[in-house]
Amino acid sequence: MTKFEALGLKQSLLNAISDLGFESPSEVQEKAIPILLESETDLVALAQTGTGKTAAFGFPLIQKIDSESRTTQGLILSPTRELCLQITNELTLYSKYEKGVNVVAIYGGASITDQARQIKRGAQIVVATPGRMKDMIGRGLVDISKIDYCILDEADEMLNMGFMEDIKDILSNTPKEKSTWLFSATMPREVSVIAKKFMHSPQEITVGTKNSGASTVQHEYYVVGGRDRYPALKRLADTNPDIFSVIFCRTKRDTQKVAEKLIEDGYNAGALHGDLSQNQRDLVMNSFRKKQIQMLVATDVAARGIDVDDITHVINYQLPDEIETYTHRSGRTGRAGKSGISMVIVTKSELRKIKAIENKIQQAFISKKIPTGMEICEIQLYHLANKIKDTKINEEVDNYLPAINDVLQGIDREELIKKIISVEFTRFFNYYNKTKDLSSSESGERGDRGRSRDDDSRTPADGNVRYFINVGEKDGYDWMTLKDFLRDTVNLGKDDVFKVDVKESFSFFNTDASATEAILKTFTEFKVDGRFVNVEVSKNPGGGGGGGGRGRRDRSRSGGGSYSRDNDRNKGRRRDRSDSKGGSSSSSGKRRTKRKSDSY
Ligand code: AMP
């Protein structure tokens, strides 16, 4: 395996890399860093967010600039304030052992005077959003006429947001003799135009497949009736008690509405859209980063640049108008080498959009059914049992034990367990008992194409068996690695294990009934690292459930469900609500250009 040492980086940067805990370079770093260090060249790099591209341009840039000069030598343009700050923070960490390197962030919504003052002190590297940058150039507050390096990060997103003219304007203030490094997840026509106009015979590198979604993301769709979007969303959340997700809506109004409903129903949710003030958006983003918000409901524009690594699920509450936007949405999960799930709630009439997206991302969707009430109850039951198992005993309880023993006298262990579990479980059960099946009966009917091996068309009647296994993400599994583990351990074929749903402490999977005997036999007295791994046949053989969660979650927090009104939840609810109200718009949504080529 290539090491950072082999890429030509100087020792002080290698020391910073070691402090960051990066062990080996990612693909984009391995490809880009030597090229950028060895020659003064233009570069076009096709790389998704989460591939480590900031370091791919950040390290060579820091190595190449003259830290003794105070002149601005490097300009990085990024689409959003969040990304701008993220890049600035990363570059500051990368340059921790470089004397005198100053990296300054320039973005809208903050004091322009403060930013100008920081620039005046001397900033070799300026990281900017296009709008504020143009403004500062116009007012003579920043001089980019002597830069040697210009980096366009997430170029496709910048152009998507309507920054084409601003970028052209900014670039016309830079010297002809400079290197331009363009990073983009996709290469739509507009990005090619910029590359042609402002770059000279750029070297090209591609990470993964061109124009494809990251392969660590599993794409799923759920067909529901038009009015069932919201209850379907709730079920997806309830099937994944440890969910940490971004939920995308098409309009600011829907975003606010869905977030408010979720909060009202007791979930840890928040809204992020352009009608909120910058301050409100910062509050919501901070809560999300701290995982106090589990479900962030956002518009596409507001969510640009959300750079949180542990997102387990992206949920498309509604599909976007443009396919390109879907790629950006799903790219919010499956970052930094982890797996993730992108779920789409669609109506039957929208199914052709799924097909169009599949063509674009070159990856098949898995057709799934919204879990039934009883499936959710089962998942919540196991979740609860595990929560009890993992609860740290509070020694203060000892003081009250004699009195508690008095109250519980005469109840045997089994009855006590049943009662404890019932305290919470009954709320779920009462809510979901007798609820209707939300999956549209036409679910998955897309002719004979596009069916993946995980397709829900395999029903119990086909001899499909669902299992419970007592390992989950806590044990280091995700839906891919658990599938591999089961296949290897039981010696099953490539397509024999499907509908793998990994929860925090346990998981579910399906196989054909013909494999049941082998599976149950293998997992009798089966130990991994000294611990028994049990497999049982689940009571709900249908198992249409949502995908496997992955993020490690704070156990102290409650999962949320409409049945619940406990104090903790209501506390969170009040906080979230105040975060998500009102405010005036500073959105760049109005500037967004319509790109016919990517419409369905
Ligand atoms: P980016 O694509 O630049 O947004 O990076 C995604 C995440 O991966 C960031 O949190 C980086 O800190 C992290 N990262 C970047 N390069 C590496 C590496 N070589 N090894 C491990 N993590 C990395």
Side-chain angles (χ1 to χ4, degrees):
M1 193 195 285
T2 314
K3 291 274 173 213
F4 277 106
E5 284 79 358
L7 301 182
L9 292 168
K10 59 182 178 178
Q11 192 56 46
S12 49
L13 291 176
L14 294 174
N15 292 344
I17 288 171
S18 160
D19 288 357
L20 283 161
F22 296 178
E23 282 172 7
S24 51
S26 68
E27 191 184 348
V28 67
Q29 291 160 5
E30 204 174 322
K31 287 182 172 167
I33 293 175
I35 295 176
L36 298 179
L37 286 179
E38 271 161 30
S39 55
E40 295 303 321
T41 176
D42 285 354
L43 174 84
V44 170
L46 277 179
Q48 305 267 340
T49 45
T51 51
K53 62 191 167 52
T54 313
F57 63 74
F59 285 117
L61 179 65
I62 294 167
Q63 181 147 330
K64 290 191 144 193
I65 55 158
D66 174 5
S67 57
E68 286 179 5
S69 157
R70 284 166 38 137
T71 310
T72 299
Q73 300 154 52
L75 169 67
I76 300 162
L77 289 177
S78 88
T80 62
R81 168 196 154 99
E82 281 76 21
L83 191 60
C84 175
L85 284 167
Q86 165 104 11
I87 295 170
T88 309
N89 288 339
E90 292 251 330
L91 295 198
T92 309
L93 288 174
Y94 301 166
S95 58
K96 66 191 277 198
Y97 296 119
E98 312 302 317
K99 264 212 189 96
V101 171
N102 281 324
V103 187
V104 170
I106 285 182
Y107 50 88
S111 160
I112 198 164
T113 333
D114 285 352
Q115 291 174 358
R117 203 174 297 134
Q118 287 183 55
I119 297 280
K120 219 170 165 198
R121 271 192 233 130
Q124 295 92 346
I125 301 173
V126 172
V127 190
T129 52
R132 175 57 63 95
M133 189 66 201
K134 196 178 152 202
D135 199 3
M136 288 188 73
I137 294 171
R139 296 203 212 174
L141 298 175
V142 63
D143 178 11
I144 51 166
S145 65
K146 296 188 189 68
I147 60 166
D148 300 309
Y149 306 100
C150 179
I151 293 131
L152 303 172
D153 193 24
E154 305 212 348
D156 51 353
E157 292 216 14
M158 283 200 283
L159 299 177
N160 238 346
M161 292 170 75
F163 284 131
M164 176 73 114
E165 290 313 310
D166 287 355
I167 291 172
K168 282 187 188 163
D169 227 70
I170 293 165
L171 292 180
S172 68
N173 281 280
T174 61
K176 268 210 150 52
E177 285 302 310
K178 66 172 182 305
S179 300
T180 305
W181 306 340
L182 183 149
F183 286 76
S184 194
T186 55
M187 188 48 79
R189 204 179 53 82
E190 291 87 337
V191 178
S192 314
V193 167
I194 288 278
K196 268 210 191 86
K197 191 165 159 62
F198 292 98
M199 298 171 84
H200 310 287
S201 351
Q203 299 209 42
E204 282 187 30
I205 57 171
T206 302
V207 179
T209 345
K210 252 185 195 179
N211 284 0
S212 77
S215 61
T216 45
V217 178
Q218 174 167 293
H219 301 265
E220 304 173 349
Y221 71 92
Y222 297 79
V223 185
V224 300
R227 288 187 189 167
D228 287 333
R229 274 187 212 276
Y230 181 71
L233 172 67
K234 271 182 27 171
R235 286 193 186 196
L236 292 176
D238 287 344
T239 325
N240 295 283
D242 302 309
I243 197 165
F244 181 52
S245 63
V246 184
I247 296 151
F248 285 98
C249 296
R250 276 155 59 120
T251 64
K252 289 184 260 189
R253 201 167 149 259
D254 285 348
T255 303
Q256 182 69 28
K257 234 171 55 190
V258 170
E260 278 184 11
K261 268 169 127 178
L262 285 171
I263 293 164
E264 220 155 84
D265 284 342
Y267 296 84
N268 297 324
L272 190 72
H273 56 73
D275 279 351
L276 304 176
S277 68
Q278 189 63 56
N279 193 31
Q280 286 169 318
R281 276 194 275 172
D282 286 349
L283 282 172
V284 173
M285 272 316 291
N286 282 339
S287 305
F288 186 55
R289 278 200 189 91
K290 288 191 206 139
K291 298 187 177 168
Q292 289 159 344
I293 286 178
Q294 259 187 300
M295 300 169 84
L296 180 71
V297 192
T299 56
D300 288 295
V301 175
R304 290 247 149 86
I306 287 182
D307 215 341
V308 179
D309 278 346
D310 291 334
I311 292 168
T312 59
H313 296 75
V314 162
I315 302 181
N316 293 264
Y317 186 77
Q318 294 138 338
L319 274 173
D321 284 330
E322 293 148 29
I323 301 178
E324 199 74 36
T325 311
Y326 178 82
T327 320
H328 293 308
R329 287 182 177 186
S330 56
R332 301 289 158 225
T333 185
R335 294 171 59 84
K338 294 171 188 162
S339 67
I341 294 170
S342 174
M343 299 170 155
V344 182
I345 302 174
V346 278
T347 58
K348 204 184 143 216
S349 62
E350 291 172 313
L351 277 176
R352 65 191 167 80
K353 293 185 179 183
I354 295 288
K355 194 172 157 183
I357 296 172
E358 281 179 332
N359 287 339
K360 178 86 179 178
I361 65 172
Q362 295 286 299
Q363 219 182 309
F365 269 77
I366 294 170
S367 156
K368 286 212 165 188
K369 283 188 177 142
I370 295 290
T372 64
M374 282 307 106
E375 281 163 358
I376 293 170
C377 286
E378 185 184 11
I379 285 169
Q380 290 289 344
L381 187 65
Y382 290 127
H383 182 68
L384 185 58
N386 274 291
K387 213 164 124 184
I388 292 172
K389 192 178 112 200
D390 293 337
T391 296
K392 216 173 143 234
I393 290 177
N394 184 334
E395 303 299 340
E396 289 296 307
V397 169
D398 283 356
N399 300 329
Y400 306 96
L401 266 189
I404 291 170
N405 278 332
D406 277 351
V407 176
L408 301 177
Q409 210 177 21
I411 304 174
D412 67 18
R413 180 187 142 91
E414 193 165 323
E415 196 183 355
L416 189 61
I417 291 174
K418 281 188 191 169
K419 279 179 187 279
I420 290 171
I421 295 278
S422 300
V423 172
E424 267 224 43
F425 179 67
T426 304
R427 285 199 289 240
F428 264 102
F429 185 81
N430 289 347
Y431 179 75
Y432 276 118
N433 190 22
K434 298 197 184 105
T435 50
K436 65 169 183 162
D437 186 358
L438 293 187
S439 280
S440 166
S441 56
E442 287 83 3
S443 168
E445 280 187 11
R446 292 193 294 157
D448 55 5
R449 60 155 306 284
R451 284 277 166 82
S452 87
R453 62 180 179 275
D454 279 25
D455 200 308
D456 262 11
S457 59
R458 287 190 268 193
T459 62
D462 300 331
N464 174 352
V465 177
R466 187 139 179 95
Y467 307 83
F468 164 87
I469 182 166
N470 66 335
V471 294
E473 62 193 37
K474 221 173 60 172
D475 310 288
Y477 291 100
D478 60 25
W479 57 268
M480 283 190 287
T481 50
L482 185 64
K483 211 173 198 172
D484 291 344
F485 165 72
L486 290 165
R487 278 195 216 122
D488 296 347
T489 310
V490 191
N491 205 6
L492 297 167
K494 191 168 136 288
D495 294 346
D496 290 347
V497 181
F498 45 98
K499 286 196 231 156
V500 180
D501 289 341
V502 179
K503 309 295 172 205
E504 189 172 5
S505 332
F506 56 91
S507 310
F508 295 95
F509 63 95
N510 281 30
T511 71
D512 194 82
S514 58
T516 306
E517 201 185 324
I519 287 172
L520 296 182
K521 209 170 143 202
T522 305
F523 289 101
T524 310
E525 309 269 304
F526 187 89
K527 276 188 182 176
V528 174
D529 296 333
R531 197 191 124 195
F532 280 110
V533 175
N534 299 325
V535 173
E536 285 157 38
V537 173
S538 157
K539 252 186 89 182
N540 285 299
R550 174 183 47 75
R552 200 131 300 187
R553 311 308 321 285
D554 176 1
R555 290 173 172 283
S556 63
R557 272 183 314 101
S558 50
S562 59
Y563 42 83
S564 171
R565 287 289 179 272
D566 68 35
N567 282 341
D568 268 1
R569 261 179 206 136
N570 284 332
K571 259 186 240 152
R573 204 173 117 182
R574 273 193 295 279
R575 178 191 62 237
D576 296 342
R577 193 179 264 297
S578 62
D579 284 349
S580 61
K581 275 270 149 131
S584 65
S585 168
S586 57
S587 160
S588 47
K590 293 174 212 98
R591 307 155 57 113
R592 193 165 176 223
T593 48
K594 184 86 184 142
R595 300 170 60 231
K596 277 200 196 75
S597 59
D598 283 328
S599 296
Y600 298 105

